[in-house]
Amino acid sequence: MDLVRIITDTPGLRDRLASIRQDPLQEMPVIFAKIKLLWQCNLSCVFCERPAPCEPMSHEAFSRILGDLIGHGVRKIHFSGGEIFLHPDILAIIDTACSSGVQVNFTSNGTLITKEIAKAVTGIGVHSVSLSLDSSKPALHDRLRGRKGAYKLTVRALEHLARYRKKNPRLRVNTVVTRENCDDLDDMHALLAAMNRDIIWKLIPVDSQDRKMRLTEDQVTELADRSRGWDLLENRHIFSRYDSDKNISRGNYAGNYYRHYPCFMPWMHLFIDPGGFAYPCCMTRGKIPSVGNLINEPLSDLLKGSRMRDIRMSMSGANTFEVCGRCDDFILENKSIYDLIKSV
């Protein structure tokens, strides 16, 4: 999704974004949303802290939420879990989303994607598929993911998807970078390049309070140099000395960015959990009260409600949440929007 083009092509939107400091409560479209369909997972990743399992979001509830989002301008839906292929209606949900005309992406650990599922996904019209692979070494990946044989199943899913895709879906591999697998990243890049040159590689710095899992300062410095040679890499900025190596080694992946520049996500994005509770983004889930429940309330009420009002008022004045400093998700998007509107 070309966010800058959408903003440019939507009448008045660039001007409204440029004036959020003066008028933070003006109406904005929700351009993209991340939907957690369920918390359940078939793996036990060492770095994952999932909430207690609850009932998955039903197909009916999703359809209502989707209609509401489309009515407020949504262009992209991203599904994740848990593991989305544990959902009994996952293919029907994906089909409903694709049939609506929005861009549909999803993230999976890949272990449940069979040949038949890969054929179905590529035929439905999914735009992008992200699979999780943390090492070129099967034993290390399996240990990090908490299940023997996970590596083999995920690689097989990548092969199935690469075989049946045409132009889409785009294939992305997410690698959670920890102190333990950092030295394997050169081999990871070589593995993906040999598998399919169309694969996009995304590095996700581990979000953990455990210092033993996070990179050391020396590893951050070294990784910034090594990453220059990885042509499949999508998000080079995270480990490219965008901020201090000390900040990154402490898990503060946004560093000081949001002390100087705005985050536009509370005006353009929603994170929705399996119970329908909505937040400005995934980092704020569990850290602040939700802005409301989309299964029980219209989206228009949530966007105009007191919780969203307070969030937008606070964020427009650069009063971010503590967790914002750990966020690596939206820096590129926020910077591209800021560069677009600063000339207005």
Side-chain angles (χ1 to χ4, degrees), residues 53-272:
C54 63
E55 283 295 314
M57 182 182 293
S58 70
H59 189 181
E60 179 185 6
F62 166 71
S63 297
R64 292 202 306 270
I65 291 172
L66 176 64
D68 215 350
L69 288 168
I70 290 173
H72 284 79
V74 79
R75 302 291 190 92
K76 183 178 83 169
I77 298 289
H78 187 109
F79 294 117
S80 65
E83 170 48 48
I84 66 168
F85 285 99
L86 287 174
H87 196 295
D89 296 320
I90 185 57
L91 290 178
I93 287 174
I94 292 174
D95 189 27
T96 296
C98 289
S99 298
S100 75
V102 302
Q103 177 180 314
V104 176
N105 301 355
F106 71 74
T107 297
S108 166
N109 63 44
T111 59
L112 301 177
I113 297 180
T114 62
K115 182 188 300 185
E116 292 70 28
I117 290 176
K119 284 182 178 179
V121 165
T122 55
I124 286 173
V126 173
H127 179 269
S128 174
V129 173
S130 298
L131 299 187
S132 302
L133 190 66
D134 295 327
S135 177
S136 67
K137 299 176 176 60
L140 177 54
H141 173 82
D142 291 355
R143 196 193 72 74
L144 291 172
R145 292 286 165 174
R147 178 182 170 185
K148 187 175 182 180
Y151 174 92
K152 182 178 180 180
L153 293 171
T154 301
V155 169
R156 186 174 296 169
L158 272 171
E159 292 170 345
H160 290 327
L161 290 164
R163 182 179 303 117
Y164 297 119
R165 70 183 286 271
K166 293 181 181 179
K167 181 180 179 180
N168 284 327
R170 300 175 71 189
L171 297 182
R172 180 178 280 103
V173 168
N174 294 339
T175 297
V176 178
V177 181
T178 68
R179 188 176 300 189
E180 190 168 356
N181 67 350
C182 180
D183 292 340
D184 182 53
L185 295 180
D186 287 301
D187 290 341
M188 265 293 298
H189 183 267
L191 171 72
L192 298 179
M195 188 179 300
N196 192 305
R197 294 296 304 186
D198 289 336
I199 289 176
I200 301 165
W201 190 29
K202 182 176 182 178
L203 299 181
I204 300 176
V206 64
D207 183 18
S208 175
Q209 298 303 305
D210 185 352
R211 293 180 57 190
K212 294 181 180 178
M213 298 194 72
R214 299 197 302 263
L215 300 185
T216 65
E217 288 184 54
D218 288 343
Q219 284 178 317
V220 173
T221 303
E222 181 187 353
L223 191 53
D225 294 329
R226 289 163 55 202
S227 65
R228 295 192 182 99
W230 300 334
D231 57 333
L232 302 185
L233 189 61
E234 177 183 52
N235 59 331
R236 198 175 310 276
H237 69 288
I238 293 297
F239 297 112
S240 60
R241 299 195 180 95
Y242 178 82
D243 210 290
S244 72
D245 296 348
K246 181 175 289 187
N247 253 337
I248 295 172
S249 68
R250 289 175 175 174
N252 299 322
Y253 302 116
N256 295 314
Y257 182 88
Y258 294 118
R259 294 184 183 179
H260 306 289
Y261 303 99
C263 177
F264 297 97
M265 293 309 109
W267 288 268
M268 311 184 72
H269 173 267
L270 277 180
F271 171 89
I272 305 163

